[in-house]
Amino acid sequence: MAAENESIRSIKRGLEVLQVINRAGLTRLQDISNATGLPYPTVCRIVDTFKDAGMIERDSSSRNYRPTALVRTLSVGFQEDEFLVTKARKIIEELCSDVGWPITIATRVGNHMMIRDSTHKLTTLTFHNYAPGYTLPLLECSVGKAYLAFCPEIERKNVVSSLDMQEGEVNQMAQVLLSDDDLLDSIRKDGFATHAYNKFTSDPGRTSSLGVPIFDGELLAGALGLVFFSSTMSVEEAAEKYVAKMQATSARISEAIAQEDG
């Protein structure tokens, strides 16, 4: 059993390293170690394994590592959110142009929210380009809170159950937040969620965010997020300025999906 657990742990560590490299595009071994919390020698062994498998390569000029096209084979067949992204793209570009701040489309993957599309490249009001595939702990981001508040009860119970079985600071905080329905009831009543001083980003604490749900008919399709510099305004001020526009944008996306379905 001990050997089996160690094998499973090795797979998890390998996936964490591959995710960091894929997000960064080009990164150093030390940065990978810092991002994953894994010892430097362990990172070296994992990186060598992926390099031998052809998943990553070392840049000859900088000696940093980057993913190869072979990484794309891991996502073959995963197209369930492609339709949402296609219908939302022009609409979120318009919102970004209007408000100036980057806009994201995110969906739930396990206990995380994954960015499916974003407009970070279309604005200078950002510290980092969060490309599709970037993930955040479910209850450590506004889009995650919005999603959990509006998803079907059975899905919410499954998420809470899975969090109960995990350890760590993030999951402990999630369990506290979900100990009663006050938080989620408030989000459902207001129609949006907020998160101040986002911790699990490339620039911890420097951004805050707003999130609203996106529906495909009566089904929850994902969440729309707006990210802004924490130093510029409070989440309350941001909500007063931008939530109505975000909700209108979400409604437009829902309409676009419905027209295609019809």
Side-chain angles (χ1 to χ4, degrees):
M1 180 62 74
E4 181 181 352
N5 289 339
E6 180 60 35
S7 297
I8 294 173
R9 190 179 302 115
S10 297
I11 293 173
K12 181 180 179 182
R13 289 175 172 178
L15 291 173
E16 289 175 350
V17 168
L18 189 59
Q19 284 177 330
V20 168
I21 297 173
N22 197 40
R23 291 171 185 167
L26 190 66
T27 188
R28 303 180 306 159
L29 290 171
Q30 188 59 58
D31 291 334
I32 299 171
S33 178
N34 294 340
T36 60
L38 296 174
Y40 186 86
T42 300
V43 169
C44 290
R45 291 195 298 271
I46 294 173
V47 166
D48 283 341
T49 299
F50 281 126
K51 184 160 67 70
D52 291 342
M55 289 287 181
I56 64 174
E57 62 186 5
R58 190 171 71 175
D59 180 71
S60 58
S61 59
S62 65
R63 300 177 69 86
N64 292 345
Y65 290 86
R66 63 190 174 201
T68 69
L70 196 59
V71 169
R72 295 181 180 177
T73 62
L74 299 176
S75 62
V76 172
F78 184 72
Q79 300 176 345
E80 64 181 40
D81 298 310
E82 183 178 341
F83 184 72
L84 170 62
V85 170
T86 300
K87 292 301 170 185
R89 182 62 197 181
K90 289 184 178 180
I91 300 174
I92 65 173
E93 287 180 355
E94 291 177 11
L95 178 59
C96 178
S97 177
D98 181 19
V99 301
W101 300 108
I103 307 300
T104 61
I105 296 288
T107 60
R108 184 178 75 85
V109 178
N111 295 330
H112 290 73
M113 291 298 287
M114 178 178 286
I115 293 178
R116 299 303 186 184
D117 198 11
S118 79
T119 64
H120 281 81
K121 287 186 176 181
L122 301 182
T123 176
T124 59
L125 298 179
T126 183
F127 294 120
H128 184 81
N129 175 32
Y130 294 97
Y134 194 91
T135 59
L136 293 166
L138 192 64
L139 284 177
E140 287 291 337
C141 57
S142 59
V143 286
K145 293 177 181 176
Y147 186 94
L148 199 59
F150 287 94
C151 71
E153 183 178 0
I154 185 63
E155 181 179 357
R156 185 161 50 251
K157 287 183 177 179
N158 288 337
V159 171
V160 174
S161 177
S162 66
L163 288 171
D164 286 340
M165 294 186 292
Q166 298 187 30
E167 299 178 352
E169 177 185 352
V170 174
N171 294 317
Q172 291 173 359
M173 178 61 71
Q175 292 172 34
V176 171
L177 290 172
L178 295 174
S179 59
D180 59 59
D181 289 333
D182 288 349
L183 171 66
L184 300 183
D185 283 344
S186 176
I187 294 172
R188 283 189 285 265
K189 178 182 177 181
D190 296 335
F192 68 94
T194 66
H195 197 83
Y197 303 102
N198 300 316
K199 180 179 179 181
F200 293 89
T201 65
S202 297
D203 302 277
R206 299 183 68 185
T207 61
S208 298
S209 59
L210 306 172
V212 301
I214 301 173
F215 289 95
D216 178 358
E218 296 183 356
L219 300 177
L220 182 65
L224 178 77
L226 181 149
V227 183
F228 59 94
F229 299 155
S230 302
S231 60
T232 61
M233 68 190 93
S234 66
V235 290
E236 292 79 12
E237 292 170 328
E240 185 175 350
K241 293 182 65 173
Y242 303 123
V243 163
K245 292 184 177 182
M246 292 177 66
Q247 291 174 331
T249 297
S250 175
R252 287 183 60 196
I253 295 172
S254 296
E255 290 172 4
I257 295 174
Q259 289 175 0
E260 185 70 20
D261 290 342

